[in-house]
Amino acid sequence: MFRSAGVRFAVVYALLLAASAAALALFLWWSTAGLLDRQTETAIRADAQGLSERWEEGGLPALVLTIDERLSGNVDDDAVYLLTNARMQRVAGNLAGWPSIVREPDTWYELPVQRAGILSLALVWRYDLPGGYHLLIGRDVQVRAQLRRLLTDALLWALVIVAAMAVAGALIVRSLLRRTLANVSTTANAIAAGDFAQRVKLSGRGDEFDQLAEVINDMLDRIGRLMDGVKQVSNAIAHDLRTPITRARARLEEASLRASSPEALRAAIDRATADLDGIVAVFQALMRISEIEAGSRRSAFATLDLAPPLADLAELYGAVAEEKGVTLSADIPERLPAHGDRELIQQAVANLLDNAVKFSPPGGTVRLQARPAAAGVEVLVADQGAGIPPEDLKRATERFFRGESARSTPGAGLGLALVQAVAQLHGGTLRLEDAAPGLAATLSLPAPEEPAHG
Amino acid sequence: MMSLTRSYGAAGLALSVMAGFAVTPPSVAGQTAPVMVTSDTPQYCLHLLDQVSELMRLAPAPPPEVTSLSTAGQRMCGQGHTRGGIMRLRRALVLLKEHSLPP
């Protein structure tokens, strides 16, 4: 039974309530009956102090006189005194004889007394005096004893009521917890059974359970998106690789059946090999993106100057662009401190430049601009090509996504996906905008961390 | 054996709260013979009346309440209302002592 969280919560609730009630009861007892007891004791001790002083001042006669005076002035009619000699014979006081139960000195006794035929209770303290005299000082506590009994009865009844409330409250707590968890459990069971559209219902109260439900629903949404992505990539791989594989197979089959010379056969094999190399390249790109997304390269991060690698890229792609009749203009500062993986950042910018040159029309210009920004470093690559339609901009970084204008150009649709993965790995962003005409891609990377000042 | 410490009541309640059953402070009244209090008797009443009369005789001008309290106390003791009579005589004594104190 205690393996149930609901039962455990209920028991904890009941115990806490019982402990709180017990603490309250003890405090009430201490501050009422306890206070009266303490007041009585204080009065008896003060009385004893005064009698002791009279004994020291005037001996037995003074003590007897004082006891008589105190009894005479005891308007409350609650004082009890008894002074006896060594043979326990009464010398002064208002008790008929020495009570047999009072044997030890310096001890509190609750003594039954009879006042005018009515049974009562007195709290007394025994003192032994020099010369074998014994003194008993006390106060009638019958009313206080009755009050204590009433208080005890009231507290015990309160305890019974608290116990009943604790049980009822525990059952309610268990029921609430079970109902709330049943909501989550039903959703989890439905998802386990294959209904991924199910979500945890919100009560609308905005409490902790609603917050938990929102977190679970967000998690399920995220898992759903990831599963959609996996499906999409699987479909894209199947679709995009089927064509070159089919083509390579057809070429090899055609050559096998109809090649008229060894040269023709070798040429067919070379073309098929080139097709298969393209497939291998696609898989390598996919694996590289996965590796980047897994974050394993983060350990290679270092503070670096981006200016030299960007200048190298500008020089390399400047030559490529020139062959296509495209101008590449580079604007790179002398120093550009950044923090990250040099090789990955270089790869990402190379992909952006490759795309820009590839899609630029002859006579167009590709801009490579790098500058320090408030949040770190910004690298802009803009071209004057067809660009990406606004409705496709959000999907442009998905794996294998290729817009209508890119269908006729070579590529697998993985370049921007890799750039996006590099940006995310570095805690940066990739922003794609319409450059009218063309596409402006801005890769933002965070600034290197400031060294700690000692 | 019959002695009870002053804290037994609180300890008893604490135990009863923790254990969930009642622990009423044991009354020794039912287990031993009660001791007679002698300051509630007609003899004590007469003793107090003597004291009041003596002090009233010595006082030059006793307060009027003292006289009425003394008379009432004497009457009540005579009618058998000993405790009421003793209470009035005690109040008369206290007033007389206060009155006789130097200012």
Side-chain angles (χ1 to χ4, degrees), chain A residues 129-201:
Chain A
L129 301 172
Y133 289 95
H134 307 286
L135 178 62
L136 208 63
I137 303 174
R139 289 290 183 276
D140 195 306
V141 290
Q142 178 65 23
V143 176
R144 289 163 199 183
Q146 286 173 354
L147 175 67
R148 195 163 52 188
R149 275 196 291 277
L150 285 173
L151 195 60
T152 305
D153 289 346
L155 288 176
L156 288 174
W157 276 112
L159 193 69
V160 171
I161 293 168
V162 166
M165 287 174 66
V167 171
L171 291 174
I172 292 170
V173 166
R174 190 183 69 160
S175 166
L176 278 175
L177 193 69
R178 277 190 174 176
R179 208 182 314 158
T180 308
L181 290 181
N183 181 19
V184 178
S185 180
T186 305
T187 306
N189 283 333
I191 289 170
D195 181 6
F196 210 81
Q198 282 282 336
R199 292 294 181 268
V200 181
K201 292 185 186 72

Side-chain angles (χ1 to χ4, degrees), chain A residues 277-297:
Chain A
D277 284 346
I279 295 166
V280 170
V282 167
F283 275 112
Q284 281 177 338
L286 277 172
M287 288 173 68
R288 188 153 178 78
I289 292 171
S290 297
E291 180 195 22
I292 293 167
E293 285 180 342
S296 58
R297 296 291 295 259

Side-chain angles (χ1 to χ4, degrees), chain A residues 164-329:
Chain A
M165 287 174 66
V167 171
L171 291 174
I172 292 170
V173 166
R174 190 183 69 160
S175 166
L176 278 175
L177 193 69
R178 277 190 174 176
R179 208 182 314 158
T180 308
L181 290 181
N183 181 19
V184 178
S185 180
T186 305
T187 306
N189 283 333
I191 289 170
D195 181 6
F196 210 81
Q198 282 282 336
R199 292 294 181 268
V200 181
K201 292 185 186 72
L202 301 180
S203 67
R205 288 190 289 270
D207 56 11
E208 287 82 353
F209 289 117
D210 268 5
Q211 290 169 13
L212 174 66
E214 281 176 5
V215 170
I216 292 174
N217 288 344
D218 286 348
M219 182 185 73
L220 291 173
D221 289 344
R222 168 90 173 137
I223 291 172
R225 282 197 299 275
L226 289 173
M227 285 174 64
D228 287 345
V230 170
K231 273 186 208 164
Q232 187 187 349
V233 170
S234 303
N235 292 340
I237 290 172
H239 181 267
D240 282 33
L241 298 189
R242 189 178 59 189
T243 306
I245 290 173
T246 306
R247 196 165 55 219
R249 183 187 179 285
R251 276 179 181 151
L252 290 172
E253 190 178 33
E254 176 73 14
S256 168
L257 293 173
R258 297 203 173 88
S260 54
S261 63
E263 290 75 18
L265 185 61
R266 191 173 296 111
I269 290 171
D270 287 345
R271 283 199 296 275
T273 304
D275 285 338
L276 293 174
D277 284 346
I279 295 166
V280 170
V282 167
F283 275 112
Q284 281 177 338
L286 277 172
M287 288 173 68
R288 188 153 178 78
I289 292 171
S290 297
E291 180 195 22
I292 293 167
E293 285 180 342
S296 58
R297 296 291 295 259
R298 205 169 275 128
S299 58
F301 278 19
T303 300
L304 54 101
D305 183 6
L306 268 185
L310 289 180
D312 291 346
L313 285 172
E315 189 179 342
L316 176 66
Y317 279 93
V320 176
E322 196 177 329
E323 282 180 13
K324 249 195 100 179
V326 174
T327 306
L328 191 148
S329 77

